[in-house]
Amino acid sequence: MAEQILVVEDDSSVRTTIVTFLEMEGFAVEAVSNTRDALARLSVNSYPVVISDIYIDDRTGIDVLMAARRQDPNCSVILMTARGTMETVMAATRNGAFDYLAKPFELDTLLESVKRALAGRDSDDDEVAWEELPETEMIGSSAGMVDIYKTVSRVAPTDATVVIGGETGTGKELVARMIHRFSNRATNPFVAVDCGAIPSALIESELFGAMKGAFTGADRDRVGVLEAAHRGTVFLDEIGDIDPAFQVKLLRFLQEREIRPVGASREKKVDVRVIVATNRDLQKMVDEGKFRQDLWFRLNVVKLDLPPLRERRIDVPLLARFFVDKYNNRYSRDVKLTESGLKALRDFTWPGNVRQLQHLIERLTILAPNDRIDAEAVQDAITAMEPKDGGGETLAETEADQIRRVLAATGGNKSRAAAILGIERKTLYRKLERMKL
């Protein structure tokens, strides 16, 4: 049975063109020229898709949108206008419009939107069923993360210096904050410093402070990070980026627990715990003469190495759930993560680790079509976040090439190709259509 679509358009030529085109594509189309008739039909009937102009008569397409969604919360409403404004787009988005098309548009653009709306509605891609998440700041139950938890629980109550290693985006600062949270210093300051972001000429005054007149621009006494965190914890991120001249001074501080602000004549005692982090191999830097061996020995009391996300993919579902909940709450959304979407997240290699996953989920929570994070939405978002440097293949090009090769190998058998690719047949059809293959 053909899918029913309601078209609301006051311009007779545009209305006739849309209706004729959609009927040629196999849809059953009803059309009205005013909001009164549209609201009357929506009071007794529901439609999987409604296509409406925004500016019609004394009422607008927003009224049609709200009526359609009241009758069927799953109705996908596509709004059109030649007079789009930020206000109308925001009103459409807030009220749950599926898509928003600026006139004039290609009829193929409208068809693609209609097909996406119906694919989301008819999908057998179920929402992921979740157990209640425990209240925690660190997410993960893999063996590697459990080992991290055990080490944190042992080292947190002490004042031992900790080195946290791991790739960018693995959560090194979060681990440092957890150590502070469960330490005897938890009620005192936690101060984080990105050493890689501070020019070499300023790192000493940033950490140790400076006296008025110590250098050009020093118009007042300035308290350094170490003094500001007295009786608390200082987290020095990217410790491998500090230059050799300051490494000597940092070593002295760690030995004596005294600072001398730039321009001062005497030292001050400071009581802080130091936690450092790096994504570099400090032992290799020592071997190459780029990092002081005695400073490395002083820092390396307890070392934690955070595993990259690709080595703990068992944690991806928990992390995804955590971030979906977080951004649904932040942006007042109700986006659902589907089984195929979760599989796509698990299968990705995550070169940017947890931070990349977090940013991708935030993007999807805001922009996911039909408020569903499925495999196609994940792959599209990953493609959109890929750097475009003009060289090499994009993820989309690589995916298209793989699909071509699999189809060639199966003699064009789409069911067999979908099974080899590990996706549903309808997902393959959508990809082929989108890629114009």
Side-chain angles (χ1 to χ4, degrees):
M1 181 177 176
E3 296 283 3
Q4 291 277 336
I5 297 177
L6 175 64
V7 174
V8 187
E9 171 59 66
D10 59 333
D11 186 311
S12 60
S13 62
V14 174
R15 185 172 65 251
T16 300
T17 299
I18 292 175
V19 170
T20 303
F21 174 74
L22 290 176
E23 286 179 341
M24 290 177 62
E25 292 294 329
F27 299 103
V29 186
E30 297 180 24
V32 296
S33 61
N34 56 71
T35 56
R36 183 185 66 255
D37 292 344
L39 297 178
R41 296 203 184 194
L42 289 168
S43 67
V44 294
N45 297 319
S46 63
Y47 301 83
V49 177
V50 173
I51 303 170
S52 177
D53 194 15
I54 290 185
Y55 298 105
I56 306 171
D57 42 45
D58 58 330
R59 294 189 177 183
T60 70
I62 302 298
D63 297 298
V64 174
L65 164 63
M66 295 171 67
R69 300 274 289 178
R70 277 197 302 270
Q71 180 71 330
D72 178 4
N74 294 320
C75 175
S76 296
V77 180
I78 300 168
L79 295 176
M80 319 171 287
T81 185
R83 294 182 284 156
T85 66
M86 178 61 73
E87 288 74 17
T88 56
V89 173
M90 291 299 295
T93 302
R94 280 197 302 267
N95 287 285
F98 176 79
D99 206 352
Y100 187 102
L101 303 180
K103 294 179 179 178
F105 50 78
E106 297 290 334
L107 288 172
D108 284 345
T109 301
L110 176 63
L111 179 61
E112 181 183 343
S113 184
V114 169
K115 288 185 174 180
R116 280 194 294 111
L118 292 172
R121 182 183 180 92
D122 298 337
S123 174
D124 55 5
D125 186 8
D126 295 331
E127 178 189 348
V128 176
W130 297 110
E131 295 181 2
E132 194 68 27
L133 275 177
E135 289 191 15
T136 180
E137 293 181 31
M138 292 192 67
I139 304 296
S141 58
S142 61
M145 289 307 295
V146 170
D147 285 342
I148 295 293
Y149 300 157
K150 289 192 288 189
T151 304
V152 167
S153 70
R154 293 187 184 114
V155 75
T158 74
D159 274 341
T161 304
V162 179
V163 177
I164 305 173
E167 296 177 7
T168 297
T170 49
K172 296 185 287 292
E173 183 174 339
L174 184 57
V175 173
R177 289 183 180 276
M178 290 292 285
I179 293 172
H180 175 72
R181 176 184 170 189
F182 291 106
S183 74
N184 298 326
R185 299 172 178 266
T187 57
N188 296 308
F190 175 93
V191 183
V193 180
D194 183 352
C195 297
I198 303 173
S200 297
L202 299 179
I203 187 72
E204 182 176 359
S205 61
E206 179 72 19
L207 294 185
F208 292 169
M211 306 302 292
K212 180 179 178 180
F215 50 82
T216 302
D219 55 356
R220 57 185 174 83
D221 291 348
R222 186 172 186 277
V223 175
V225 165
L226 294 169
E227 186 177 355
H230 185 57
R231 293 187 177 144
T233 302
V234 170
F235 173 59
L236 302 179
D237 198 7
E238 303 306 340
I239 191 69
D241 290 346
I242 62 174
D243 65 29
F246 186 69
Q247 289 177 26
V248 178
K249 296 179 179 180
L250 181 59
L251 173 62
R252 180 173 175 79
F253 163 73
L254 292 171
Q255 291 171 335
E256 307 297 334
R257 298 293 163 163
E258 292 179 342
I259 61 170
R260 178 183 288 187
V262 177
S265 58
R266 64 181 65 181
E267 285 79 12
K268 293 181 180 180
K269 281 285 186 183
V270 175
D271 175 20
V272 293
R273 180 184 198 165
V274 176
I275 301 175
V276 303
T278 182
N279 60 7
R280 303 169 72 175
D281 185 341
L282 290 185
Q283 183 58 61
K284 182 179 179 182
M285 291 180 68
V286 169
D287 296 340
E288 294 172 347
K290 297 176 181 177
F291 199 86
R292 290 183 63 95
Q293 186 176 56
D294 47 4
L295 176 57
W296 172 231
F297 289 157
R298 175 64 65 173
L299 290 171
N300 191 22
V301 178
V302 176
K303 191 166 190 293
L304 293 170
D305 287 305
L306 298 186
L309 188 53
R310 64 182 173 276
E311 293 180 6
R312 56 181 187 106
R313 297 192 193 199
I314 191 175
D315 292 335
V316 169
L318 288 173
L319 287 162
R321 162 69 187 284
F322 176 80
F323 292 132
V324 168
D325 286 350
K326 175 179 180 177
Y327 293 115
N328 270 335
N329 290 332
R330 175 176 295 182
Y331 299 118
S332 300
R333 304 280 285 158
D334 188 25
V335 171
K336 309 297 185 185
L337 177 61
T338 70
E339 292 286 355
S340 73
L342 182 58
K343 182 178 185 302
L345 293 174
R346 276 197 304 256
D347 289 347
F348 190 55
T349 54
W350 300 113
N353 293 296
V354 178
R355 184 181 298 147
Q356 185 183 16
L357 172 62
Q358 177 178 0
H359 291 167
L360 184 127
I361 293 291
E362 181 176 15
R363 175 189 177 91
L364 285 168
T365 305
I366 297 169
L367 300 177
N370 221 23
D371 290 349
R372 290 169 63 83
I373 301 177
D374 58 15
E376 185 173 11
V378 170
Q379 289 156 3
D380 287 346
I382 290 171
T383 301
M385 296 177 80
E386 286 283 305
K388 303 295 190 295
D389 58 6
E393 290 187 329
T394 66
L395 185 62
E397 290 167 341
T398 302
E399 182 184 44
D401 183 62
Q402 183 179 16
I403 290 174
R404 287 191 191 96
R405 286 189 285 107
V406 173
L407 280 171
T410 60
N413 185 319
K414 295 182 179 64
S415 297
R416 178 68 181 144
I420 293 172
L421 291 164
I423 59 178
E424 295 180 1
R425 187 172 57 183
K426 68 170 64 175
T427 300
L428 176 60
Y429 278 109
R430 290 202 298 269
K431 288 180 180 296
L432 293 171
E433 185 177 8
R434 188 180 73 247
M435 296 173 178
K436 304 291 190 267
L437 296 180

